[in-house]
Amino acid sequence: MDRLHKAMDFCIRHQTVLGNSVVSLLTAGSEYIFSSVVFKCPCNSGNMLYGSFFLLGPAFVLLLLGYMVNARIWRLLTGQCSPEERCKRGPWGTCAHFCQLLVPTTAKALVAPLTWIAVALLGAHFYECAASGSSLAKHFFCRDNGTECESQLFKMPCDEKLSAEISSKSLSLQAQSQLIGWFLIASVMTATLISRCKSHCCTSVSYLQLKFWKIYSEKEHELFEIKAKEHAAKLAERNTNCFFEATDPAPFHTPSNEDWQEISILYTFNSREQYYSMIHKYVSTNRDKSTRFKKEGQDNTGLELAGAAQTS
């Protein structure tokens, strides 16, 4: 049991890295199946279109899926196009808010597409088919060999001997694809490292406080799911019983639309207001308001009693 708890804690602490790793492995497996079973280069003038579609088409589909399964983008886009929200923000405010949302969301959604492209380039099947039909390949391989070389260039992906013969004096298409693949991997890793260093360097939160913030966010999300299910079940049970038994509904408190809107906004940490989420800010702000109103009410009551005593 102790080992199981340790394994669960490890998965929770590193769920982002593990999730990206699982997505990358599944994408790599899918690419291998596509390249070995589905993909068949036509070896004619359609090489460019066919190879490019298999190289970039699934990556685009994976990017769209990354957007669709990301709860962050749906949370922030909900209601942004309503007339009331447009009047509040204005056209430039909505555009700036959308761009601010799109950058981190796209970074997460690009894990699977970039994995597909990188693995496909290392395998070289799609690139070899697409490049054999491009004008750049004709200029690279056949600038001194006449039109016969250009006609044979289409058949390179289907004939290993012909491919070795044409590319014997220059870098082969497979080698080009693998070099581009490794360059893409190195570029993505470098960009990721730089962005993480910049985010940690420019943050106003210390390392341990940032760690606490992440733990708090995970626990709050977990408890919110539990409480939301319990609250929804009680409300559904009350309404269902009233419907079938024809009784008056008992009083039941449910957050208003304004309350839901207030806690649905994405919270960014502010050193002046030490809140860790919008729920934390909402609860603390309402508590301060209720305390202030309560004190004001007590003061007003005291003044009324004093005035009544003086009158008597």
Side-chain angles (χ1 to χ4, degrees):
M1 291 298 295
D2 292 338
R3 293 181 178 179
L4 180 61
H5 284 301
K6 290 180 180 180
M8 291 295 295
D9 292 338
F10 178 82
C11 293
I12 293 173
R13 287 196 306 268
H14 302 87
Q15 58 181 346
T16 303
V17 177
L18 292 175
N20 292 337
S21 301
V22 171
V23 170
S24 300
L25 289 175
L26 291 175
T27 305
S30 301
E31 192 280 332
Y32 176 77
I33 294 175
F34 265 75
S35 61
S36 59
V37 178
V38 180
F39 181 76
K40 300 293 181 184
C41 188
C43 296
N44 53 34
S45 58
N47 285 7
M48 182 68 180
L49 178 62
Y50 190 80
S52 300
F53 184 83
F54 270 85
L55 180 62
L56 302 177
F60 180 71
V61 173
L62 290 172
L63 178 63
L64 297 181
L65 287 176
Y67 282 128
M68 293 172 61
V69 300
N70 194 316
R72 175 189 176 97
I73 192 170
W74 298 119
R75 176 181 178 180
L76 295 180
L77 286 180
T78 302
Q80 294 299 315
C81 297
S82 61
E84 296 83 1
E85 194 67 24
R86 286 201 301 267
C87 291
K88 290 179 183 178
R89 294 182 177 273
W92 294 108
T94 304
C95 182
H97 184 70
F98 181 77
C99 294
Q100 185 180 6
L101 155 72
L102 194 64
V103 172
T105 305
T106 303
K108 292 183 179 180
L110 280 174
V111 174
L114 291 177
T115 301
W116 174 276
I117 295 176
V119 174
L121 289 173
L122 293 178
H125 296 91
F126 304 152
Y127 177 85
E128 186 180 17
C129 182
S132 63
S134 66
S135 58
L136 291 177
K138 294 178 182 179
H139 177 75
F140 186 76
F141 289 105
C142 303
R143 53 187 173 185
D144 298 327
N145 298 329
T147 57
E148 183 179 356
C149 174
E150 296 181 2
S151 62
Q152 292 180 343
L153 193 62
F154 293 134
K155 303 177 182 179
M156 283 183 62
C158 302
D159 193 337
E160 295 183 0
K161 294 182 179 179
L162 180 62
S163 176
E165 181 181 348
I166 294 177
S167 58
S168 58
K169 298 181 180 180
S170 57
L171 198 63
S172 65
L173 293 177
Q174 292 184 355
Q176 294 178 23
S177 178
Q178 291 170 353
L179 287 176
I180 296 174
W182 280 116
F183 178 78
L184 176 63
I185 294 173
S187 301
V188 170
M189 295 299 293
T190 303
T192 303
L193 178 61
I194 293 174
S195 63
R196 287 185 64 87
C197 291
K198 182 180 178 181
S199 63
H200 279 267
C201 183
C202 298
T203 183
S204 59
V205 185
S206 64
Y207 176 78
L208 291 178
Q209 189 177 10
L210 182 61
K211 188 174 183 180
F212 173 81
W213 187 7
K214 292 181 179 179
I215 296 173
Y216 172 83
S217 300
E218 294 171 1
K219 292 298 181 181
E220 184 187 79
H221 178 74
E222 180 182 346
L223 292 174
F224 181 85
E225 291 285 341
I226 296 173
K227 292 295 183 181
K229 291 179 181 179
E230 293 177 356
H231 191 87
K234 292 178 182 178
L235 180 60
E237 183 180 4
R238 188 204 69 161
N239 294 337
T240 306
N241 291 336
C242 292
F243 174 77
F244 284 104
E245 298 173 5
T247 58
D248 294 332
F252 194 90
H253 173 72
T254 300
S256 63
N257 293 339
E258 292 77 11
D259 295 336
W260 286 112
Q261 185 67 27
E262 195 169 340
I263 68 169
S264 297
I265 302 172
L266 181 65
Y267 178 71
T268 53
F269 190 84
N270 187 353
S271 57
R272 298 179 181 177
E273 300 177 347
Q274 193 170 339
Y275 305 127
Y276 294 101
S277 68
M278 288 307 301
I279 293 181
H280 185 193
K281 183 177 181 179
Y282 172 81
V283 171
S284 301
T285 304
N286 284 0
R287 182 191 62 188
D288 295 339
K289 288 181 180 178
S290 62
T291 303
R292 187 175 67 252
F293 291 154
K294 185 176 180 181
K295 289 182 179 179
E296 291 177 356
Q298 291 176 350
D299 295 339
N300 293 334
T301 304
L303 292 173
E304 291 175 359
L305 292 175
Q310 290 176 0
T311 303
S312 62

